[in-house]
Amino acid sequence: MRRLYQVSLKEYHPLALPDGRRIKVYGQPKKRLADIQGQLLVSFSPTFYRQQVRTLDLLQRKATQRLLQLRVSIQQAVARNRPRTEKAVQGEIAQLVRHDRLKEFFSPTLSLHHGRVQDLRWQWDGRKKRAIKHRDFGKTVLFTDRQELEPQRMVLAYRSQAKAEEMFRISKSRRPGLWWPAYHWTDSKLSVHALYCFLALLLIRIVLLRLHERNLSVGVELLTERLRGIHEALVVYANGAAQRVITARSPEQDELFAALDLGSLAEQWGNRVLHS
């Protein structure tokens, strides 16, 4: 098998995702890895490529600034007749360019006198940097033992992992909310508490999917904060009559209220919905 980074993008096939984004994929339907028979897919995303390029450029700029500071400190040490050792400077340089990508196209030069550093110069190899970007950036390697999955389904399943991981992070968070505080001590009651918490997670996920269908994107914390701000009030009139109402809402809350059709639910329960 040819190394994956040697496969030209010309051999990739275009793939359209349901959200309208377009990527390229290269697949090997029958591949064995670690004694597992499956299919391998390499996806190339232009958006991911640009993100990685920006990150590498930012790392390079930060490293250059710190190298300039290191060079000034070396020159100051020489001016004080206390030049630094080669080992110490090499160790500091290694820290400044410890990112694997930077190391691949960075070349330092130390001016030495009797084993002491007099000056520091360096060079960034633009050709090697371009080769790294062309070879590795924007690519994600996927492998599955489910031979029936189409390339689009593989990509979507991989990208959905982040959503599942987010829900697990929320469930394990010690911030007040879904799990904490748990006012129970016995195993049986903790089990029931855990069931309630994961049912709440399931409901939140359903709400997020409903909002996604209506082209609304909002994080879990912001969602729960806005929904908690929608209140039911009991209005008692002078004649003794009473009426339950849903109080006025902010524009953001009203957007959620309409998208989730909470108005119909509130009216079924005998509430009057006040309009903002």
Side-chain angles (χ1 to χ4, degrees), residues 208 211-212 214-220 222-223 226 255-256:
L208 290 174
L211 294 176
H212 181 72
R214 288 158 177 76
N215 298 318
L216 287 177
S217 179
V218 60
V220 173
L222 191 57
L223 170 67
R226 289 176 179 174
E255 197 174 30
L256 293 176

Side-chain angles (χ1 to χ4, degrees), residues 44-57 137-138:
F44 174 81
S45 166
T47 302
F48 186 34
Y49 174 86
R50 290 190 291 269
Q51 290 174 349
Q52 288 188 301
V53 169
R54 285 195 297 267
T55 300
L56 183 63
D57 291 340
F137 282 13

Side-chain angles (χ1 to χ4, degrees), residues 222-239:
L222 191 57
L223 170 67
T224 54
E225 177 186 338
R226 289 176 179 174
L227 290 179
R228 285 193 187 108
I230 300 175
H231 299 290
E232 178 190 65
L234 180 65
V235 179
V236 180
Y237 298 99
N239 61 3

Side-chain angles (χ1 to χ4, degrees), residues 130-147:
R130 286 191 297 272
I132 292 170
K133 292 191 292 186
H134 177 74
R135 182 188 69 199
D136 299 331
F137 282 13
K139 297 176 182 176
T140 304
V141 180
L142 305 176
F143 179 80
T144 179
D145 60 353
R146 296 178 59 183
Q147 298 279 7

